[in-house]
Amino acid sequence: MRFKSRVLPISALLTILLCGGGRAALLGAKDKIPPVNSDDPTLRLYNLLDSKLGGKLEDFHLLADTSNDPQNPGQVQQHVLRVDYDKSRAFGKLRIVIRTVDQLSPEQLKTYTTKEIYDFAESDSEKFTKTDPGSFGRPGDVYFRPASPGGPLGTAQASDEVQARYERYVTQHILPALEKKASGGAGS
């Protein structure tokens, strides 16, 4: 009989918790997600993609910024981006994959499409997966980078520097290119 007397109070407690007795405590502990500013770059991008491009974007490639190669001083490299978006995805609506190539000559820019340049790079330099509008690093956002140069991507911390890079890619490269595409300009 002693066994039954211990089981009953434990099972009663579990039943209360499962049926909602502990619900108020759980809701109070949940992190509050701050509201998104109407000028947020991701919100602006999502609005553009939803209103002008039907809420879907597949394999959109563009050339982005140039920077000095940290492993080869004096050499300049260029970032090539692939952007995918699908508003119907619950997780990872926006995916931005960055690859790096040596700076392109004017002849190469005339000869190859942006997709061909992206494919030529072969390995990813970093990847941003974004779910909801707001600054990068919110719940549902994942940042990937290789642990070693040319290695496979793995998850990494979304530092302030990563957040700034994400915002720069969106505001300086992706939004202007998609605005041009939406207005009937060229795009890949």
Side-chain angles (χ1 to χ4, degrees):
M1 250 347 196
R2 193 168 187 203
F3 177 71
K4 284 186 176 181
S5 66
R6 286 185 184 167
V7 173
L8 183 60
I10 292 172
S11 63
L13 180 62
L14 286 174
T15 303
I16 291 170
L17 286 173
L18 290 174
C19 292
R23 200 177 205 157
L26 291 175
L27 289 176
K30 187 176 180 181
D31 290 336
K32 302 251 188 237
I33 297 174
V36 177
N37 183 334
S38 62
D39 198 36
D40 172 67
T42 305
L43 181 62
R44 290 179 24 228
L45 177 60
Y46 283 11
N47 288 339
L48 173 70
L49 290 165
D50 293 344
S51 66
K52 302 286 185 183
L53 298 170
K56 200 166 206 145
L57 181 71
E58 294 178 352
D59 275 346
F60 182 74
H61 297 85
L62 65 138
L63 294 174
D65 56 348
T66 59
S67 61
N68 290 320
D69 186 344
Q71 296 179 340
N72 298 310
Q75 285 193 346
V76 177
Q77 56 189 10
Q78 179 132 33
H79 293 122
V80 187
L81 283 58
R82 184 186 84 217
V83 182
D84 294 303
Y85 173 79
D86 188 341
K87 76 175 182 177
S88 66
R89 285 191 285 236
F91 175 78
K93 294 177 183 184
L94 175 66
R95 296 179 186 145
I96 304 168
V97 182
I98 292 93
R99 292 189 174 173
T100 306
V101 295
D102 290 337
Q103 187 174 26
L104 302 161
S105 69
E107 296 81 29
Q108 290 171 319
L109 290 170
K110 289 178 189 174
T111 304
Y112 301 105
T113 66
T114 313
K115 182 181 182 339
E116 290 172 330
I117 295 167
Y118 177 87
D119 291 340
F120 178 74
E122 293 181 2
S123 64
D124 300 335
S125 303
E126 59 186 336
K127 178 180 178 181
F128 300 89
T129 300
K130 186 87 174 104
T131 300
D132 295 315
S135 62
F136 191 82
R138 295 165 71 107
D141 298 345
V142 184
Y143 174 67
F144 301 89
R145 73 167 185 224
S148 61
L153 295 180
T155 58
Q157 184 73 16
S159 66
D160 291 343
E161 182 182 323
V162 168
Q163 292 173 12
R165 264 199 321 277
Y166 167 82
E167 192 167 313
R168 188 177 68 242
Y169 286 131
V170 171
T171 58
Q172 294 180 10
H173 303 288
I174 298 170
L175 271 170
L178 289 174
E179 287 167 347
K180 183 177 178 181
K181 177 183 176 81
S183 67
S188 59

